[in-house]
Each structure stands twice: as structure tokens, then as C-alpha cells.
Amino acid sequence: EAQVTQNPRYLITVTGKKLTVTCSQNMNHEYMSWYRQDPGLGLRQIYYSMNVEVTDKGDVPEGYKVSRKEKRNFPLILESPSPNQTSLYFCASQGAGGFPDTQYFGPGTRLTVL
Amino acid sequence: QKEVEQNSGPLSVPEGAIASLNCTYSDRGSQSFFWYRQYSGKSPELIMSIYSNGDKEDGRFTAQLNKASQYVSLLIRDSQPSDSATYLCAVTGTASKLTFGTGTRLQVTL
């Protein structure tokens, strides 16, 4: 089954404690991205990756890092989380060319930073 | 001005009626337009895509695009309670970046 998986699904942490949210897709997609979703602000892109070792900033990259060492994985790293990063996070992937025809979303990770 | 604007709603329609959801966008060079459905606490799901002016129909859903007016809409015919969700409009601008609106919450009442 074609899917995007994220882990963990729920996470409560404290300010400053480094964390990683994993994202994996089994569709051999080149393009992957991370979004955060906040009430009244909608989905905002954090980072995206056009292919292995190719990443770029989205609209709200501050406080986040990503890496793309393998095609299937695109982890999101919060080196020093702060309460304003409390949000619902989605990973997404799509096929060749970065053309967002069918973008598949993961199930989401609800992060709370205390 | 927001890049993609939607009325947050809620839009309330009775079961069986037509729900009309609207979206405007600011980038005149936008090429691709999408409607996603998102149930509470779930991930967005693509339901319609449209690339050229006019209407595109898929089952009970019709997407309408008017590039001159920078306007895209989604019509849901014979609305069902299961259609109650938030509908996200998304637009690909000149930089091929997908930008989402904040969504319109639809409530289909019995």
C-alpha cells in the first residue's frame, strides 16, 4: 500500500530538548516536504526536498532542520524546541518533477512543547 | 493580502443541497489549483485538481476555475453529512510552490 508514515504521532516535550520526527514514503517519490498546521494560519511549508541531498527552505523554516540522505526518508529536526513550535506537523511526498499533482500526506504528528 | 484566501466558515448546508466553496488567489502566474478535504485531526486528502479555465466534474464534485478573476470554486452536489469537513484550496504559483488557504469548514445538516 502506497503510504507516508510519520513517527511519533503524538509527542509532548520540554523546551530545549532536541527531537526528531521521522517521515518515510514507499512510493519512490523525489519530492518531499514538511508542513505545520495552526488554527487560523492553515498549512505552512517548513522545508522541502526535490531529491536526495537537495533541500530548501519553505515559508517558516526558523527553528527547524531537515536532511535527505535517502530517497524514502525526510526527518524533521528541532534542535531546541520552543513553545511556539507546538503544532500539528504533516509530511508529504509527490512524484517526479516537483509538480504537486497528487501530494500524499502522512497522518500527522501532534507536538506539544512545554 | 494573503496569497490564497478562503472564507473560514462554517458554511452550513442541509443534506441534499449544493455546497459552494470559494477561493481567490493573488499570483496571476498560478498554474495549478487543488481542493483538499480534511477531517478533524486527520491529514488532507486531494479530491480535485484543475489546470485550465472552466469546469471539471468528478462525481458529486465540480471544480470551477476563472483565471481572469483569480477565482476557483468547488461545488458539492447532493451534500451528505459525511462531506462535513474543512476544505482547503491550494494553488501552485510561479515558483511551483504549493500554497494553501486556511480552509472553509463545511457542515452538512440533517
Side-chain angles (χ1 to χ4, degrees), chain A residues 37 59 99-101 103 106, chain B residues 32 34 38 43 46 51 92 97:
Chain A
Q37 187 172 37
D59 296 317
F99 200 77
D101 196 356
Q103 185 154 153
Chain B
S32 308
F34 307 90
Q38 187 177 26
S43 56
L46 181 68
Y51 307 104
T92 306
K97 177 176 164 297

Side-chain angles (χ1 to χ4, degrees), chain A residues 16-87:
Chain A
K17 186 175 181 181
K18 181 180 178 179
L19 66 92
T20 299
V21 183
T22 64
C23 173
S24 183
Q25 50 94 3
N26 63 0
M27 295 166 279
N28 201 36
H29 283 167
E30 284 79 11
Y31 186 94
M32 298 183 73
S33 59
W34 276 102
Y35 296 88
R36 62 178 288 174
Q37 187 172 37
D38 303 289
L41 297 176
L43 276 163
R44 295 179 292 168
Q45 192 179 55
I46 303 170
Y47 268 95
Y48 65 95
S49 169
M50 299 291 282
N51 213 324
V52 175
E53 302 292 0
V54 180
T55 62
D56 207 348
K57 297 176 181 178
D59 296 317
V60 288
E62 294 77 20
Y64 304 94
K65 285 177 58 177
V66 293
S67 68
R68 187 90 181 275
K69 293 182 169 36
E70 304 167 281
K71 200 172 189 179
R72 63 182 293 123
N73 296 323
F74 190 43
L76 179 69
I77 303 156
L78 285 72
E79 296 267 3
S80 183
S82 62
N84 65 11
Q85 293 178 297
T86 293
S87 187

Side-chain angles (χ1 to χ4, degrees), chain A residues 9 31 35 37 40-43 45 58-59 88 90 94 98-103 105-108 110, chain B residues 2-3 31-32 34 36 38 41-46 49 51 88 92 96-103:
Chain A
R9 295 288 313 280
Y31 186 94
Y35 296 88
Q37 187 172 37
L41 297 176
L43 276 163
Q45 192 179 55
D59 296 317
L88 180 58
F90 290 104
Q94 67 193 52
F99 200 77
D101 196 356
T102 302
Q103 185 154 153
F105 282 84
R110 189 168 291 281
Chain B
K2 289 183 182 177
E3 294 181 56
Q31 298 293 323
S32 308
F34 307 90
Y36 286 80
Q38 187 177 26
K42 302 296 186 183
S43 56
E45 172 194 10
L46 181 68
S49 58
Y51 307 104
L88 305 173
T92 306
S96 297
K97 177 176 164 297
L98 188 64
T99 300
F100 286 84
T102 53

Side-chain angles (χ1 to χ4, degrees), chain B residues 11 13-20 60-61 75-84 87 106-110:
Chain B
L11 172 66
V13 299
E15 184 177 5
I18 296 175
S20 177
R60 296 187 296 113
F61 299 99
L75 301 178
I76 306 174
R77 288 181 298 283
D78 189 23
S79 295
Q80 302 297 309
S82 58
D83 294 326
S84 298
Y87 289 81
L106 173 66
Q107 292 178 337
V108 180
T109 58
L110 297 172

